[in-house]
Amino acid sequence: AQSVSQHNHHVILSEAASLELGCNYSYGGTVNLFWYVQYPGQHLQLLLKYFSGDPLVKGIKGFEAEFIKSKFSFNLRKPSVQWSDTAEYFCAVIPRSQGNLIFGKGTKLSVKP
Amino acid sequence: ETGVTQTPRHLVMGMTNKKSLKCEQHLGHNAMYWYKQSAKKPLELMFVYSLEERVENNSVPSRFSPECPNSSHLFLHLHTLQPEDSALYLCASSQDARGPDTQYFGPGTRLTVL
């Protein structure tokens, strides 16, 4: 079955630290990739997405992600986190052959001021 | 962001109650979705509607009954639920259910079943 793995359940960082959240998916075909963020008490929001083209995509609030097809990975990065980045981050994949969005379990990020 | 709205935001119900969750999208999309978000589990797709027609039902128990009267509104009717059904229920919409489009989510309804 298709699945999405997020390696870290909870990440704790200090402000200004660099962030990398891992995401791997299991599907051999062409996919569209997404990172969503859920701030405390708020709804899921799209952070960035990759459909095609440059595998390094930039999203809102200084986030970026790199699609490495050979590794089936789509890791999320930010060079310097802020306290306001405290949230839960979800990686998601849609195999192009069918339109169902498959989510990872999420990674909770806590940024200490 | 008010593209997808959900009511109520919180709901507490007994196992014998009947209640309904409502979702409305203001984005002109053709597809709408219900997801269940439980602690420490990935979001689970429950139902998919495309142009008011159900196109997917991921083996959801019959105590959950969806209704899509038009492309802007989606309901989830609940009856005789179990405590393990307590979760955050999310509604989403996208332009087209048949393509790999971006989905936009509502704020969710936090459901507690006593």
Side-chain angles (χ1 to χ4, degrees), chain B residues 52-97:
Chain B
E52 303 137 51
E53 179 182 337
R54 189 191 306 181
V55 297
E56 181 119 10
N57 172 0
N58 276 2
S59 303
V60 179
S62 60
R63 56 186 184 270
F64 295 91
S65 174
E67 178 190 359
C68 189
N70 55 63
S71 59
S72 298
H73 293 86
L74 185 65
F75 295 88
L76 188 61
H77 303 299
L78 316 170
H79 64 98
T80 58
L81 294 192
Q82 304 298 311
E84 59 264 28
D85 297 323
S86 298
L88 182 68
Y89 288 85
L90 296 173
C91 175
S93 72
S94 69
Q95 186 60 48
D96 185 354

Side-chain angles (χ1 to χ4, degrees), chain B residues 18-30:
Chain B
K18 287 185 180 182
K19 297 286 183 183
S20 295
L21 310 184
K22 179 183 176 182
C23 174
E24 184 173 359
Q25 60 96 0
H26 312 274
L27 300 169
H29 289 164
N30 295 320

Side-chain angles (χ1 to χ4, degrees), chain A residues 49-104:
Chain A
K49 62 185 179 184
Y50 172 79
F51 281 16
S52 64
D54 188 344
L56 183 63
V57 293
K58 295 192 185 296
I60 59 172
K61 303 185 181 185
F63 285 91
E64 64 179 32
E66 185 175 13
F67 170 49
I68 303 179
K69 189 175 180 180
S70 60
K71 295 185 178 180
F72 300 92
S73 70
F74 191 54
N75 292 354
L76 181 71
R77 299 195 293 250
K78 185 171 183 178
S80 176
V81 295
Q82 301 172 314
W83 176 78
S84 58
D85 294 324
T86 295
E88 191 156 13
Y89 293 81
F90 296 88
C91 182
V93 169
I94 293 184
R96 294 262 186 95
S97 61
Q98 54 93 0
N100 288 347
L101 194 56
I102 304 164
F103 280 88

